[in-house]
Amino acid sequence: MPTLLTRDPSDAVAVLEGGGTCAFPTETVYGLGALARDAEAVEAVFQAKGRPGDNPLIVHVADLEAVEGVATMTEMGRRLLEAFAPGPLTVVLPARSGLAPTVTAGLDTVAVRVPSGIALEIVRGVGAPVVAPSANRSGRPSPTTWQAVLEDLDGRIDAIMQGPPTAIGIESTVVDASSRTPVVLRPGSVTLAQIRDVCPDARNADHGDGTIRSPGTRHRHYAPRATVTVVDLEDAQPGSDAAWIGVSEPPDGYGLATVCADLEDYARRLYDAFRRADAHELTRIEVERVEGDGIEAALSDRLRRAAAR
Ligand code: TXA
Ligand code: MG
């Protein structure tokens, strides 16, 4: 069945209400939506993405009251949501029954997010919880434009909302708020320092111990087809077979160069630059190293994952 392209959020609402799959923009990346209480619709999301069944989905809802429809609120969850919802933050909480079992991949917790902008309008319009993983084929970079969704999922999903490019460009911060000590499972544009302003004990996951992990972090992620290397400017190795992505002006000789205005711009343009390098059939991508605790933490996490083989 051909995928419907629409600019009208009410078409997206209608497709979702009818049990279909529809991609739409959030402030982070495009998500592939389906009704979270409809097992067949959720299955269609896993099928379209080619997503492993052991990787649970994020449930998107309109407000804190709706969070309590799918999860048991905790003190830390409430603090985080009051500070950052609607916005690019996902909280993991004890799950309530009623979701399609595949949503949580059999875990007793559920990841919940209140998105902003067009996504909030759509979730409000549906009036029920909506799963929305990033709208890419599993293993590919998350889509930041509707064209990237089309490239990955044309003919595999019911509809795509043709919204604007996404503002942030990397996926939400995921925080396990099920206990007294919140743990950042996936860094994002909401930083650990911002989280500590409301939950002083919050910490990063210790990926060394293998115990506290977001299930999705086990899988290879965010990767273009070209080989990605994280480099400093002085180690750049230009060539017509290579793309450069960074904030510094690179030496001459790259097949493609994306020079970003600042770190936010780097995050916003990274996945699109990956896809452009693949479209130009370049075989190498050099991404400029970033270090720091702010958005740098999220950005360097995505760079590291893309570079992992
Ligand atoms: O910004 C975002 O979060 C985007 C937009 C569309 O909202 N969504 C997104 O979804 O990135 P996805 O499915 O690509 O990533 C969800 C992440 C995965 O790493 C998954 O393992 C983790 O959240 N996750 C989901 N449920 C979880 C749970 N119960 N416990 C721990 N991690 C969970
Ligand atoms: Mg994803």
Side-chain angles (χ1 to χ4, degrees):
M1 197 187 30
T3 297
L4 169 78
L5 298 179
T6 176
R7 297 186 183 282
D8 184 351
S10 65
D11 287 339
V13 171
V15 169
L16 293 169
E17 283 179 334
T21 50
C22 179
F24 56 82
T26 81
E27 67 274 65
T28 57
V29 298
Y30 272 71
L32 177 57
L35 292 177
R37 299 195 195 287
D38 181 333
E40 275 180 41
V42 172
E43 180 54 27
V45 167
F46 277 93
Q47 287 295 334
K49 284 181 58 73
R51 184 176 178 106
D54 65 352
N55 193 3
L57 307 179
I58 298 177
V59 177
H60 295 62
V61 295
D63 51 33
L64 265 69
E65 201 184 319
V67 171
E68 300 201 51
V70 297
T72 307
M73 190 58 84
T74 62
E75 168 65 19
M76 295 301 142
R78 179 173 305 283
R79 286 191 203 179
L80 288 167
L81 289 166
E82 280 176 354
F84 301 111
L89 180 102
T90 297
V91 290
V92 173
L93 294 168
R96 276 191 207 284
S97 57
L99 297 168
T102 47
V103 171
T104 58
L107 298 175
D108 55 10
T109 54
V110 60
V112 198
R113 170 158 118 79
V114 181
S116 56
I118 296 169
L120 182 58
E121 190 187 329
I122 290 172
V123 171
R124 260 199 201 125
V126 171
V130 172
V131 293
S134 51
N136 50 286
R137 288 295 288 267
S138 204
R140 297 269 294 146
S142 293
T144 55
T145 63
W146 67 261
Q147 291 91 341
V149 179
L150 189 68
E151 181 179 290
D152 276 16
L153 298 177
D154 190 17
R156 304 179 65 88
I157 61 177
D158 295 310
I160 298 174
M161 160 136 190
Q162 299 167 292
T166 57
I168 296 173
I170 56 176
E171 307 81 355
S172 63
T173 307
V174 178
V175 185
D176 183 347
S178 62
S179 77
R180 300 287 312 170
T181 310
V183 178
V184 178
L185 301 177
R186 180 175 73 181
S189 63
V190 175
T191 64
L192 181 62
Q194 290 174 302
I195 290 168
R196 282 188 174 151
D197 282 342
V198 292
C199 302
D201 294 338
R203 61 180 179 84
N204 280 319
D206 172 8
H207 288 317
D209 67 12
T211 51
I212 313 156
R213 270 179 178 257
S214 199
T217 61
R218 282 197 299 264
H219 303 282
R220 184 154 177 269
H221 251 103
Y222 320 118
R225 280 184 283 273
T227 306
V228 177
T229 318
V230 184
V231 299
D232 296 308
L233 180 61
E234 55 269 30
D235 301 321
Q237 307 234 336
S240 57
D241 61 331
W244 167 267
I245 312 171
V247 291
S248 304
E249 189 70 49
D252 287 342
Y254 282 98
L256 263 181
T258 303
V259 182
C260 307
D262 53 31
L263 293 171
E264 281 71 30
D265 194 42
Y266 194 172
R268 194 179 301 126
R269 294 167 71 182
L270 178 69
Y271 292 150
D272 191 56
F274 280 170
R275 285 174 180 268
R276 284 203 305 134
D278 279 350
H280 284 75
E281 298 185 343
L282 302 182
T283 54
R284 299 188 294 126
I285 302 175
E286 295 191 338
V287 291
E288 187 174 11
R289 188 186 317 282
V290 296
E291 266 159 23
D293 304 332
I295 183 81
E296 298 93 330
L299 198 46
S300 66
D301 170 75
R302 303 313 190 272
L303 300 181
R304 212 173 36 245
R305 283 171 195 289
R309 285 279 141 180

